[in-house]
Amino acid sequence: MCNNKELNKDYLDAYIAVLIGERLKPKNLKRSVAKVNQQVQKFNHDFDANHEAISAQYNEVQDSLANITRAIEKGIFTDDLLQRAEQLENEKAKLETRLHELKLLEPLQYEDVAYLYTQWRELKRNTEEFRTFIQQFVKAIHVRPYDFDIVLDVGFGVVELTETIPMRRGELYEMFDSKVKKQRICLKNQKANT
């Protein structure tokens, strides 16, 4: 049984929208692009070693299959040999797939993602489009009894890169309850002045 109380969804949605808006401001977006490009550079640096290792495995499998073929041509034909040939063919297919999937990543340019801030500002709040836009950045929300974490996807689909924002439940409620109280005070003052 879960002992976690529910979070106010409206407050949480509003807070996440604020977080994403902050992350998409031009100076923060430029920092995020730099972080993505650090990951791209690391991946590309490791690419040669990964490609070499997979190619070496592929060549070993090819050599083993060639040895089995020669053995069969010489008349050596056993169930174990056929089973091993089948295993090697499966392994060869997997290695071929991995080699085809292994590609160098292109660095991200700020211009490639600069439109996101404008899009965020222009979308009407509390619409399905806005929620869909926000959801592309939210990877997970981990809720515990007294606090929670929001895990944002900040890799822009180029690399796996996340940012975790921890927050106490009380902070979230204070943030939005104080806004509600200020609005009520403004309304009371307006009514008193009329």
Side-chain angles (χ1 to χ4, degrees):
M1 186 172 153
C2 181
N3 293 328
N4 294 341
K5 293 182 243 167
E6 280 189 28
L7 280 172
N8 182 311
K9 184 184 178 321
D10 295 333
Y11 289 2
L12 184 61
D13 288 348
Y15 179 64
I16 290 171
V18 168
L19 281 177
I20 291 170
E22 283 296 313
R23 297 315 180 272
L24 295 178
K25 285 184 177 176
K27 70 177 186 173
N28 295 330
L29 198 55
K30 287 176 183 173
R31 279 192 217 126
S32 293
V33 167
K35 287 179 185 177
V36 166
N37 286 336
Q38 286 175 344
Q39 293 293 323
V40 166
Q41 186 177 13
K42 182 182 180 325
F43 177 87
N44 288 345
H45 181 269
D46 296 342
F47 175 85
D48 290 335
N50 289 333
H51 192 272
E52 217 172 276
I54 295 170
S55 292
Q57 288 176 323
Y58 181 80
N59 291 336
E60 285 177 28
V61 168
Q62 286 284 79
D63 290 344
S64 296
L65 282 169
N67 288 339
I68 290 174
T69 302
R70 282 193 288 278
I72 291 172
E73 288 172 350
K74 290 182 180 179
I76 304 170
F77 191 80
T78 65
D79 286 340
D80 288 342
L81 200 57
L82 286 176
Q83 226 175 14
R84 180 68 181 140
E86 190 176 319
Q87 288 172 342
L88 289 170
E89 284 295 338
N90 288 337
E91 193 173 332
K92 177 183 166 185
K94 288 178 186 173
L95 290 169
E96 284 174 345
T97 301
R98 286 179 63 196
L99 282 171
H100 289 298
E101 290 174 348
L102 197 60
K103 295 178 182 152
L104 288 172
L105 297 176
E106 290 292 321
L108 185 64
Q109 301 299 315
Y110 172 74
E111 294 75 26
D112 295 336
V113 293
Y115 72 93
L116 290 170
Y117 182 63
T118 305
Q119 189 177 4
W120 178 84
R121 287 180 48 209
E122 291 175 356
L123 282 171
K124 290 183 181 174
R125 304 303 187 254
N126 299 323
T127 64
E128 192 59 37
E129 288 174 318
F130 186 73
R131 280 187 284 282
T132 301
F133 180 83
I134 294 295
Q135 287 172 353
Q136 70 181 323
F137 297 101
V138 179
K139 186 166 177 103
I141 299 173
H142 304 288
V143 180
R144 294 176 295 279
Y146 300 104
D147 62 348
F148 60 95
D149 294 330
I150 299 168
V151 182
L152 297 179
D153 181 349
V154 291
F156 303 106
V158 177
V159 293
E160 181 73 26
L161 187 62
T162 59
E163 178 185 359
T164 302
I165 296 97
M167 182 150 211
R168 286 187 0 258
R169 286 172 177 262
E171 287 177 300
L172 179 69
Y173 287 99
E174 285 172 19
M175 187 183 307
F176 289 98
D177 284 344
S178 66
K179 286 184 181 181
V180 170
K181 285 176 187 173
K182 284 180 188 176
Q183 288 174 350
R184 286 183 186 152
I185 290 170
C186 286
L187 287 174
K188 282 182 184 177
N189 290 338
Q190 285 175 356
K191 286 180 183 177
N193 292 335
T194 55

